[in-house]
Every structure is written in structure tokens, then in C-alpha cells.
Amino acid sequence: MAVQGVVGASFHDPAALVGWMGCVQAQDFAMAKWGVGMRLGAPEAAVDAAFNSGAILRTHVLRPTWHFVLPADIGWMLRLSAPRIRGFCAPYHRQLAIDAAVLRKSRKVMVAALQDGGFLTRVEIASLLKRAKLDTSDIRMNFLMMDAELEGLICSGPRRGKQFTYALLASRVAASLGGSASLDLSGDAALGELARRYFLSRGPATVNDFAWWGGMTLGQAKTGLEVVKGGLSSEVVDGVEYWFEAASRAAAASLPAALLLPAYDELTVGYTDRSAILSPAFEKASFSGLKPAVVVNGRIVGIWRRVVVKGKVVVELTLFEKVSKTAMAAIG
């Protein structure tokens, strides 16, 4: 919790936090903003401002889902993870009759439409693809958009009201960096940098955890760890080796009595083994800890949801076990 910024208030800027963590899973946009804001002690408006300005971007990277990522990192992370994500997409492409010619044509349409710094919504892009006689029915549109993201052609633009927009990645990165250079990493150097970010921001963790989070093979994960393990510490617990920051900040942090974690929070989704925070008895009810979670003394004890009742926001709790009055007061 300390190295992730959940406790200790180490970060005050959304971009600094995302850069420290490498990526933050963000397919549920509202929940991802909660996760970032919770770590910063910042209001939603601050995260919205960082996203709309392009200080943090959103694209498909690492695994076949959206993540927040920095403009300086988006290029090398896409080059590293795109081949594996394309492998995931390949059977769906065959099933949906999306071939190389279709992908080339859809990319061309999107790039032309977004020239000169333009921003378009998914609906607007779909209309242009249909005009070019490209089928966007079923879930084909999802895969056409993901393909253009994986090619490093498009990424998130600022929101237009409640709608998401897309922009050319090159123009979005250039506007955000203002002439500064992006990181140019590849091969073992890229694996090493991803490993460094992961173990510094999520340790103690295992190489299997890193492989899951990075969407990579175990061999790639081991290579990345080998590059950076000289700057890490390790400890074997019950026959499993955990890696973490050599001079961890965790010792100075105090555990909060209660937390309301958002869905897909990095405190759970960042690890393939979640037994440290989640009892096996609660796995099914909590969707393996990926639903919005009630955490007491470092353990998931329930789930929560936000509902609007008569114009007021109400947080409804479903607790898996009885908690103390002190814990209930902290939750409330």
C-alpha cells in the first residue's frame, strides 16, 4: 500500500503517480479516476484535468485492456506489448473476417480524419468507417479501434462532455511533451524498465505477478527482472521469492483502518496471487477482488457500489463478514 501510494501521500500529481506505477488499468474510467484520486488525496477534477490536457493518456497496452500511461512511455510500452495483444486478437479477427486489407483501410481512414490535431468520438469515427464501406457491426469496431491503438496511430483525446474522443498519438504526445524526448527503449532494456517500475511500485511481488501484470511470458518477465534485480531486495516466504525496493518506504507508513477500493484497482489487479488481501472464500463474490472492494486492516471484507437515490449519492455495502464498530465507523 505504501509503495503504491495508497498510504503515505507520496504523490500529488496524476502524471507523477502514473509514471511511478508505469501503467494504471483504466477500462472502467470512473473507477480508474477513483484509484488515482484516492492515492493523491485529490478531487476528480484534478484527474480529469490531467486526462483532458494529455498529461496522462489512455490506450490498450500491456494486456488487451485500457490503461493510463504517460506520453513519454506510451511508445516503448506499445512496442513491447503490442505483439502479445495482437496474438490475443488474432482469433477474433479471423472469426469476424477482419483481414490485413481491412485493417490497413481502417487505419488510413482514422489517420486522415484526425489530421491537424483533430479530436473525434467513437461514433464519429464509426460513421467515417461506414462511409468507407467498412463494417463496424458486432464487435468489429472494438477491434478496429484497438488495432489503430496498437499501431501507435491513435490514443485518447480530451473528453467532450461525457463522450470520449480519440486523437493522433503523435500529435498528442508532441503537444504534451512540448519538445522533450520520449523514452526510446526496446528489447531487454524495455523489459528491464518495465520490471523496475513494477517492483518499485508494487513490491513485494513475484516474477509470476510481474508476468501477469505485464501481459508477457514468464521468460520475458525473468529477463526483465534479471536486468534490474541488482537494485532490488528479495525474500523467500513459504518457498516463494518476493522482490521489492531495496530501501522501501513502507516502514514509515501506517495501515489505514478502512479503504474503499475502486474496481480493477492496482492493489488487486497488479498481482496474479491475491491471497495476501483476499480470502479464497470471498473470491467469487468479489470477482477475484476486482469488484469495488471494502478493505479493513489490509483485507477485503466486502464490496460496494455507488447509487443515486432521490438525487443523493449513496454507497451500498455488501459485507462478507462481521466487522467491528471501529471499522464500520472508518468505512462510514
Side-chain angles (χ1 to χ4, degrees):
M1 287 185 180
V3 297
Q4 281 206 26
V6 175
V7 298
S10 301
F11 299 95
H12 304 283
D13 172 68
L17 174 68
V18 171
W20 167 252
M21 301 193 75
C23 282
V24 173
Q25 190 161 328
Q27 79 270 37
D28 187 323
F29 186 69
M31 288 285 104
K33 288 196 297 180
W34 180 292
V36 172
M38 174 185 70
R39 286 166 169 81
L40 300 175
E44 181 181 23
V47 186
D48 278 327
F51 179 76
N52 289 330
S53 70
I56 57 176
L57 302 174
R58 183 171 177 254
T59 195
H60 283 85
V61 69
L62 295 194
R63 304 184 300 281
T65 191
W66 275 297
H67 285 80
F68 287 144
V69 61
L70 291 190
D73 294 325
I74 195 169
W76 69 267
M77 287 192 182
L78 278 172
R79 289 192 296 273
L80 180 64
S81 59
R84 293 274 294 175
I85 301 176
R86 288 196 182 286
F88 167 85
C89 294
Y92 296 96
H93 285 186
R94 290 192 292 269
Q95 179 183 341
L96 296 166
I98 298 175
D99 58 19
V102 168
L103 294 176
R104 283 195 300 270
K105 188 173 182 180
S106 67
R107 294 169 196 158
K108 185 176 180 180
V109 171
M110 291 185 211
V111 170
L114 293 168
Q115 288 295 339
D116 302 321
F119 305 112
L120 293 175
T121 67
R122 176 189 170 100
V123 171
E124 290 167 338
I125 293 172
S127 177
L128 293 171
L129 293 174
K130 290 176 185 177
R131 192 181 303 171
K133 303 190 183 307
L134 286 164
D135 183 3
T136 60
S137 61
D138 198 8
I139 58 172
R140 288 171 60 92
M141 186 63 180
N142 294 354
F143 287 100
L144 296 180
M145 299 294 291
M146 191 189 303
D147 168 75
E149 288 180 305
L150 295 175
E151 280 291 299
L153 298 175
I154 68 171
C155 65
S156 59
R159 295 187 84 189
R160 189 191 300 164
K162 294 184 178 181
Q163 296 186 78
F164 292 98
T165 69
Y166 291 83
L168 288 182
L169 185 147
S171 63
R172 198 73 165 139
V173 168
S176 178
L177 295 182
S180 300
S182 300
L183 286 180
D184 186 15
L185 300 172
S186 61
D188 289 358
L191 289 171
E193 178 61 16
L194 196 65
R196 186 185 72 83
R197 304 269 188 110
Y198 177 79
F199 287 106
L200 293 187
S201 66
R202 291 168 180 82
T206 69
V207 69
N208 286 318
D209 290 327
F210 175 47
W212 148 253
W213 177 82
M216 63 185 71
T217 67
L218 185 57
Q220 287 176 309
K222 288 179 176 178
T223 297
L225 176 58
E226 190 66 29
V227 172
V228 298
K229 71 179 186 181
L232 300 172
S233 295
S234 68
E235 186 169 335
V236 177
V237 180
D238 295 332
V240 179
E241 189 169 27
Y242 293 85
W243 295 86
F244 49 94
E245 183 179 11
S248 176
R249 297 174 295 169
S254 58
L255 192 69
L259 285 170
L260 293 183
L261 289 183
Y264 303 102
D265 190 76
E266 291 291 336
L267 201 58
T268 52
V269 79
Y271 311 88
T272 187
D273 178 2
R274 297 165 193 160
S275 59
I277 193 172
L278 178 64
S279 166
F282 305 149
E283 282 188 6
K284 185 175 181 181
S286 68
F287 191 44
S288 297
L290 301 183
K291 287 185 177 180
V294 182
V295 177
V296 173
N297 295 325
R299 301 280 293 177
I300 293 175
V301 299
I303 55 177
W304 65 275
R305 68 182 187 125
R306 173 188 180 275
V307 295
V308 178
V309 179
K310 295 182 179 179
K312 294 184 179 180
V313 175
V314 176
V315 174
E316 292 185 349
L317 304 178
T318 301
L319 297 178
F320 303 146
E321 61 183 37
K322 187 176 182 180
V323 300
S324 68
K325 290 182 179 180
T326 301
M328 280 303 301
I331 294 168

